Amino acid sequence: GSINVSGQLEFLSGSGWLSTSSLDGVIAPGGQLRVRLGFITAILNPGIYRALLRFRNTTTGQELVVPVLLAVSAGDPLMQLSQSALSFRARAGGRGVPAQTLHVLAVGNSGFNWSAAPTVDPGLPQWLSLSRTSGNSAPGNPAEVDVLVNAVGLSAGQYVGQVLVQAPVDNSPRLALVSLLVEPASTRAAAAVTPGGFTFVQLQGQSNPARQQLMVHNYGSDPFRIEFQLQGDTRIWSVTPPADLNIAPQGSALFAVGVNTTGLPVGVHRTTLSLRASNGTEVHSVDLLLIVTGGPRAAAEDHSRQASLACPPGGLQISSLRQMLGFTSPTGAPLSIETRVTGNDGLPLRQGQVVASMVGAGQTVAALTHIDSDPGRWSGTLALPSSANPSVALRLLASDTSGGATGCLELTGAVDASTSPNLATGGVLSAASFDKGAAVAPGGMVAIFGSGLAEGSTSAASLPLPTLLGSTRVSVAGRPAPLIFAGPSQVNAILSYSLTPNVSHQLVLRRGSQFGLGDVVTARAQPGMFTVNQQGTGGAIAVLAANPLLLADAANPVAPGEGLVIYCEGLGELDSAIEAGALTPASPLRRPVLTVRVTIGGVEAQVAFAGLTPGLAGLHQINVIVPDSVQPGPDVPVVVTVGEQTAPVVTIAVQRR
């Protein structure tokens, strides 16, 4: 049945910086309520701003809460990469496969110089290289870097390298992980096809547009003949094969793809070109899109996949530029996405939004980035979630700035049985409060949630904390994170104190030769209170100063005027430097540079000390005096604020003596 939805916007910090389209509506079966968000950052100082979108089913009372976090950086510009992961396939002993392009983008009002370095695991040949290792990026003019691999000297197996890009900006460095699957030297049929799709735009009545070239590369051990099949109306589409369809090992062939627009009405025409090596079974599908513009619209034949109810057409056409039709990817491994988005009027989508998601996979989504130097091209990386069903569907949704035109494309594919680490979207939280949608602090304890994060469960046995537990390691912005615990679904770590606040940093979790990607938004401070239920709610882990073995709970309430020690994390930058994960000495005491405030039962409490707990690593404590005017009770609220950020409310028991 249909759902009646009523929505509400609630600001947790600041006000007026977020606007939305209507939060109310009726959702038909299989349909959606799409809400557009607008941000006004000119009125804000650098910092972290939070809001909640509350959606309520007016019939059943069911409520869904969507947290919104806005990080306003002090620096300009910021750096962005078109992809955070690239995947290659090669044959053992093979010299190379077609390069893939990485764009370095400047986001803001100015540009920057950057440098890039490829690295692979120690002891291996340097199989990863770049076409350039430095350059300049400016708004509207991103720099291009070709990423190349070479399997000479590598045995069959999976390899992981990285491209580290550094620049004098707040969110530097940025990483692009490179996965190389080396197939056995005996692999006979191995074809790489680029690009994965073409878009033709033609004004009605004009001469046919220029042909576009499709390259097929043979990275197998044997020559093969390319067999191809063109679906759809051959009066519109044509494919001219090379003079010799036989492709030698390490060789390539070029196909010319063309269209005939004579007599075609204004509209959209689409079909698929399928290619296969004669000695193999893998079919490569190429998406072909033709948009005829310039006159009154008429119904045009469309050979594309039928749109589902949740994926209706709406004026924008999406074409894949990578091999996305019938894609195959390891479970949890990032999927590199390249698309071209064009309106029915033939104009490329430059401003708007393109989002990729896995159908039925909840919050596993990725926002794509527009490549200004190639109008209409949108790039990004999506982590595929674990799935019991090997068949998956990828949905691409596009909309222009005004929201008037939309587009949708669904692609089917498969994931294999491997178990690459898969980080949950928004799954990096305070290890104390588990506050969803909040930032985390430099030096803070975080809990990373997902699947396949570790091969077993291992806890750190000594200080300083190690950066490797089992085969699991974590880095944030290229800085190794000391680990407290590593398990298959949760890893607890401590962030570096050197992370720049108010920006989003990349998190890389590696388990052996496999990896998962995430994002971490940092604030100058983001306190989180440890609680008895270990979920960040209810009774605080707060002990009596007179007897630190007793919790201030109903069995041992604290009295007004007595001392209390509250344990927490996330107080931020310290007045005296210390390495994350190191043992905290008793002298000098490490205190936060930001002011710490505590209210108990709504009454301001005197803070006697706030800072790192000596003898441990990463744990903070706040020593306070319970105000005399606090009203006693079994669940008296405690609110901790550091700088401008407040922790979720916890409780203690207070009783007069």
mmCIF file of all heavy atoms in Angstrom, residues 59 70 124 156 199 257 322 383 503 574 587 603-604 646:
data_model
loop_
_atom_site.group_PDB
_atom_site.id
_atom_site.type_symbol
_atom_site.label_atom_id
_atom_site.label_comp_id
_atom_site.label_asym_id
_atom_site.label_seq_id
_atom_site.Cartn_x
_atom_site.Cartn_y
_atom_site.Cartn_z
ATOM 1 N N THR A 59 0.444 6.778 9.435
ATOM 2 C CA THR A 59 -0.519 5.708 9.731
ATOM 3 C C THR A 59 -0.033 4.814 10.857
ATOM 4 O O THR A 59 -0.770 4.510 11.799
ATOM 5 C CB THR A 59 -0.781 4.859 8.480
ATOM 6 O OG1 THR A 59 -1.268 5.704 7.439
ATOM 7 C CG2 THR A 59 -1.796 3.762 8.764
ATOM 8 N N LEU A 70 27.348 18.887 8.222
ATOM 9 C CA LEU A 70 28.006 19.821 7.312
ATOM 10 C C LEU A 70 29.327 20.247 7.939
ATOM 11 O O LEU A 70 29.351 20.773 9.056
ATOM 12 C CB LEU A 70 27.120 21.044 7.067
ATOM 13 C CG LEU A 70 27.752 22.184 6.255
ATOM 14 C CD1 LEU A 70 28.047 21.735 4.832
ATOM 15 C CD2 LEU A 70 26.849 23.412 6.255
ATOM 16 N N LEU A 124 58.123 -6.573 -3.756
ATOM 17 C CA LEU A 124 57.520 -6.869 -5.058
ATOM 18 C C LEU A 124 58.112 -5.950 -6.121
ATOM 19 O O LEU A 124 58.578 -4.844 -5.818
ATOM 20 C CB LEU A 124 56.000 -6.658 -5.000
ATOM 21 C CG LEU A 124 55.186 -7.628 -4.161
ATOM 22 C CD1 LEU A 124 53.721 -7.204 -4.153
ATOM 23 C CD2 LEU A 124 55.314 -9.056 -4.688
ATOM 24 N N ALA A 156 50.494 -15.371 -10.356
ATOM 25 C CA ALA A 156 49.041 -15.218 -10.299
ATOM 26 C C ALA A 156 48.609 -14.903 -8.870
ATOM 27 O O ALA A 156 49.121 -15.460 -7.900
ATOM 28 C CB ALA A 156 48.362 -16.485 -10.802
ATOM 29 N N THR A 199 28.060 8.056 -26.205
ATOM 30 C CA THR A 199 26.899 8.937 -26.335
ATOM 31 C C THR A 199 27.070 9.783 -27.594
ATOM 32 O O THR A 199 28.088 10.465 -27.758
ATOM 33 C CB THR A 199 26.748 9.849 -25.112
ATOM 34 O OG1 THR A 199 26.535 9.055 -23.944
ATOM 35 C CG2 THR A 199 25.564 10.801 -25.291
ATOM 36 N N VAL A 257 32.431 2.887 -34.266
ATOM 37 C CA VAL A 257 31.000 2.853 -33.984
ATOM 38 C C VAL A 257 30.377 4.122 -34.551
ATOM 39 O O VAL A 257 30.847 5.237 -34.275
ATOM 40 C CB VAL A 257 30.734 2.752 -32.477
ATOM 41 C CG1 VAL A 257 29.236 2.717 -32.203
ATOM 42 C CG2 VAL A 257 31.417 1.519 -31.889
ATOM 43 N N ARG A 322 32.436 2.887 -18.450
ATOM 44 C CA ARG A 322 33.240 1.716 -18.115
ATOM 45 C C ARG A 322 32.444 0.461 -18.427
ATOM 46 O O ARG A 322 31.270 0.522 -18.772
ATOM 47 C CB ARG A 322 33.639 1.738 -16.634
ATOM 48 C CG ARG A 322 34.696 2.786 -16.319
ATOM 49 C CD ARG A 322 35.145 2.647 -14.884
ATOM 50 N NE ARG A 322 36.116 3.674 -14.549
ATOM 51 C CZ ARG A 322 37.424 3.528 -14.650
ATOM 52 N NH1 ARG A 322 37.917 2.376 -15.079
ATOM 53 N NH2 ARG A 322 38.241 4.509 -14.318
ATOM 54 N N ALA A 383 31.441 1.077 -2.863
ATOM 55 C CA ALA A 383 31.775 -0.196 -2.228
ATOM 56 C C ALA A 383 30.578 -1.128 -2.333
ATOM 57 O O ALA A 383 29.464 -0.775 -1.945
ATOM 58 C CB ALA A 383 32.153 0.020 -0.766
ATOM 59 N N VAL A 503 37.046 18.816 8.035
ATOM 60 C CA VAL A 503 37.090 18.279 6.682
ATOM 61 C C VAL A 503 36.845 16.774 6.744
ATOM 62 O O VAL A 503 36.891 16.165 7.809
ATOM 63 C CB VAL A 503 38.436 18.555 5.967
ATOM 64 C CG1 VAL A 503 38.633 20.030 5.719
ATOM 65 C CG2 VAL A 503 39.595 17.990 6.767
ATOM 66 N N LEU A 574 45.410 18.614 22.453
ATOM 67 C CA LEU A 574 45.932 18.691 23.808
ATOM 68 C C LEU A 574 46.940 19.828 23.933
ATOM 69 O O LEU A 574 47.548 20.263 22.954
ATOM 70 C CB LEU A 574 46.592 17.368 24.192
ATOM 71 C CG LEU A 574 45.696 16.125 24.110
ATOM 72 C CD1 LEU A 574 46.525 14.878 24.343
ATOM 73 C CD2 LEU A 574 44.546 16.221 25.104
ATOM 74 N N SER A 587 52.946 12.851 34.378
ATOM 75 C CA SER A 587 53.465 14.211 34.360
ATOM 76 C C SER A 587 54.219 14.456 33.056
ATOM 77 O O SER A 587 55.050 13.631 32.655
ATOM 78 C CB SER A 587 54.404 14.440 35.554
ATOM 79 O OG SER A 587 54.914 15.760 35.555
ATOM 80 N N VAL A 603 22.402 22.055 35.852
ATOM 81 C CA VAL A 603 23.159 23.021 36.649
ATOM 82 C C VAL A 603 24.636 22.914 36.277
ATOM 83 O O VAL A 603 25.196 21.808 36.185
ATOM 84 C CB VAL A 603 22.970 22.768 38.155
ATOM 85 C CG1 VAL A 603 23.749 23.804 38.967
ATOM 86 C CG2 VAL A 603 21.497 22.790 38.510
ATOM 87 N N GLU A 604 25.285 24.067 36.044
ATOM 88 C CA GLU A 604 26.704 24.085 35.702
ATOM 89 C C GLU A 604 27.529 23.501 36.849
ATOM 90 O O GLU A 604 27.365 23.882 38.014
ATOM 91 C CB GLU A 604 27.155 25.512 35.416
ATOM 92 C CG GLU A 604 28.533 25.612 34.813
ATOM 93 C CD GLU A 604 28.538 25.519 33.294
ATOM 94 O OE1 GLU A 604 27.450 25.652 32.692
ATOM 95 O OE2 GLU A 604 29.614 25.326 32.719
ATOM 96 N N THR A 646 28.689 19.104 21.611
ATOM 97 C CA THR A 646 28.091 18.513 22.809
ATOM 98 C C THR A 646 27.933 17.013 22.634
ATOM 99 O O THR A 646 27.576 16.528 21.559
ATOM 100 C CB THR A 646 26.720 19.156 23.095
ATOM 101 O OG1 THR A 646 26.904 20.555 23.311
ATOM 102 C CG2 THR A 646 26.070 18.541 24.316
#
